[in-house]
Amino acid sequence: MSAVIPIALGQLRRRPAAFAGPAVALFLAVATVTLFGTLFAADVAAPAGVRRADPGPGLRVIAGAFGEIAVLVAFFVVVNALGFAVRQQHRDLALLRTVAATPRQTRRLVRGQVVATTVLAAAPGWAVGAVAARRFLGELKRRGLAAPGVRVPETPVPMLVALAATLAVGLAASAVAARRISRIAPAAALTAGSTEHGRTGVARLLAGAGALTGGALLLRLAATRPPERTDKAGQAALLGALVLLIGVALVGPLAARVLATALGAPVRVPAPGAGWLADANLRGYARRLSSAVVPVALLVGLSGTMTIMTRTAGHAAGATATGATSATDVWLRQAELALLVCFAAVSTVNTLVAVTADRRREFALLRLVGATRVQLLRVLAGEAVLTAAVGVLLGAVVAGAASAAFSTAVTGSAVPSVPVAACGWIVAGAATLTVPCVLATGLRAVRGPAAEPGGGARD
């Protein structure tokens, strides 16, 4: 091969912070697939007599139902992190194009970065996934959901499957993200690295519309499940929420610009100068806003859906005097909720840190024309509040639609039982992650002499 791989490794060494987010996302994906793959392998490897003695629905069923959404969310986080990481490198990739790098070499460079990052994240991901599988299996046994004779098999197959699946998703995501920068002319690529197009592509909008339609169909499927199939209705509703969030991510720039315009007026009232600039920044850089908003919407949408569905199922079980919702059912839902919240929170922090830190040149230029650090932090505070508000609103819409579908299946009414306090904590958690994260990263980005960041690409 040419010198592309050494260049890729050199990028990882010189800019480790830029690849920290994708590395964490890839680590989570490897660990998640290893966890549930190991549980599945334990059920397959168990003797027939042990499986027949299983008092629960079966380890394979639990691993499949529990892991399906978790694995999809992990891959969604990988796609979002890698897509943004590639977009961050547009300027560097464009410079390579201007010195005669071919489109194939550019794509090979991006693939090399993904492969190297995945390999580095694989070993810790395997270790964490294996340990989590043993502990989760032990907890299932203690609660009577798995046979005592089931053991974790000593096989590397789940780990290899985790590496192959994560690598495939990562390569596909990076290929889509690198496609535009590798197809256009070098001079246009260099311009694209420092500007943002105002319109969202037709193909992306069509894909987003397809995802939104698919999510709506899944919610309709959830709503038509019989009351005795609460688990199936819940899985369909949660999967529908995830597909809707994928649709939101695809049409994100357009949706984010519209919502930022609608919510920007209240921010301009208490701080006319900083509020106006914050609103203008978000509306003018809709792709950047979308990158920041989607993880917040993922956090609010999934955690809100799970929380409301659990309360609705509990109320339905109490109203019908049945044991449809046992302590073990609640524990399983809480464990799934904790895992999903972990993924969404990591994605939120990774993206917000990367989005804010990538604006050093912008902050430097503003300081060179007279803006102070305090004024820049005021602008960032306004942007952070608007970002949190847009993300919470989008997530709440998705959670409301999914919960209504689940409630229709379980109670016959589209009005679910909403735990107001728990939902308030979810919103507060999203705001707590968003605003301090943006301000802390912004404070670091505006440190030092104004001319230093503006003049170079120092990280």
Side-chain angles (χ1 to χ4, degrees):
M1 293 183 63
S2 63
V4 170
I5 295 300
I7 293 176
L9 295 176
Q11 284 281 86
L12 294 177
R13 288 193 299 268
R14 287 192 301 272
R15 304 179 59 187
F19 296 93
V24 173
L26 291 165
F27 159 78
L28 288 175
V30 172
T32 305
V33 180
T34 300
L35 163 61
F36 294 107
T38 300
L39 294 178
F40 190 86
D43 185 76
V44 172
V50 172
R51 286 200 298 269
R52 284 195 295 269
D54 194 336
L59 187 58
R60 196 180 311 185
V61 174
I62 293 175
F66 193 101
E68 176 186 28
I69 300 298
V71 170
L72 290 175
V73 171
F75 286 157
F76 179 74
V77 172
V78 167
V79 170
N80 191 58
L82 284 176
F84 183 73
V86 173
R87 289 198 299 274
Q88 278 186 302
Q89 296 184 77
H90 269 195
R91 184 178 180 86
D92 295 339
L93 297 176
L95 287 173
L96 288 176
R97 293 289 313 280
T98 60
V99 294
T102 65
R104 177 178 294 183
Q105 289 173 325
T106 303
R107 292 191 294 267
R108 190 181 299 167
L109 171 62
V110 174
R111 287 198 299 268
Q113 293 173 348
V114 173
V115 171
T117 308
T118 305
V119 170
L120 290 174
W126 286 337
V128 170
V131 171
R134 294 180 186 278
R135 293 189 176 181
F136 190 60
L137 180 58
E139 191 65 24
L140 290 176
K141 291 179 182 179
R142 191 177 71 83
R143 295 177 178 273
L145 293 174
V150 178
R151 298 286 185 271
V152 172
E154 299 294 334
T155 173
V157 173
M159 297 179 180
L160 296 177
V161 171
L163 177 60
T166 303
L167 190 58
V169 171
L171 290 174
S174 62
V176 173
R179 179 174 178 270
R180 177 173 171 268
I181 193 67
S182 64
R183 287 172 61 93
I184 59 180
L190 187 60
T191 304
S194 56
T195 61
E196 180 175 299
H197 289 276
R199 291 188 295 178
T200 304
V202 175
R204 179 167 177 163
L205 289 176
L206 290 177
L212 293 175
T213 302
L217 292 176
L218 282 170
L219 295 188
R220 179 176 176 81
L221 176 65
T224 56
R225 296 297 88 188
E228 62 271 13
R229 303 302 299 273
T230 303
D231 55 339
K232 296 295 183 183
Q235 286 299 111
L238 199 56
L239 183 59
L242 179 58
V243 175
L244 286 178
L245 287 167
I246 293 173
V248 168
L250 289 169
V251 302
L254 178 61
R257 184 183 290 113
V258 172
L259 290 177
T261 301
L263 298 174
V267 175
R268 294 194 297 267
V269 173
W276 178 86
L277 187 56
D279 182 32
N281 276 342
L282 293 183
R283 287 186 287 109
Y285 290 87
R287 287 186 182 275
R288 184 172 68 197
L289 172 61
S290 175
S291 297
V293 160
V294 168
V296 180
L298 179 70
L299 173 62
V300 174
L302 292 182
S303 56
T305 299
M306 283 291 296
T307 302
I308 297 174
M309 287 198 311
T310 301
R311 173 64 66 87
T312 302
H315 280 189
T320 58
T322 66
T325 305
S326 65
T328 54
D329 293 330
V330 174
W331 175 79
L332 279 172
R333 291 194 184 105
Q334 289 175 342
E336 186 173 14
L337 173 61
L339 190 61
L340 296 180
V341 168
C342 174
F343 290 159
V346 167
S347 177
T348 301
V349 172
N350 281 345
T351 306
L352 290 174
V353 169
V355 167
T356 308
D358 197 45
R359 300 172 62 185
R360 286 189 177 94
R361 289 187 179 90
E362 176 188 338
F363 297 151
L365 289 174
L366 288 172
R367 289 185 61 197
L368 286 173
V369 297
T372 66
R373 290 189 182 92
V374 174
Q375 289 173 326
L376 289 178
L377 290 177
R378 286 177 183 171
V379 172
L380 277 176
E383 291 183 16
V385 170
L386 271 176
T387 298
V390 173
V392 166
L393 183 58
L394 289 173
V397 170
V398 171
S403 303
F406 178 77
S407 179
T408 301
V410 175
T411 67
S413 169
V415 181
S417 298
V418 180
V420 178
C423 291
W425 281 111
I426 291 172
V427 174
T432 301
L433 279 176
T434 304
V435 178
C437 186
V438 170
L439 290 179
T441 310
L443 184 62
R444 182 181 177 185
V446 299
R447 286 189 312 181
E452 182 178 308
R458 298 179 63 176
D459 286 317

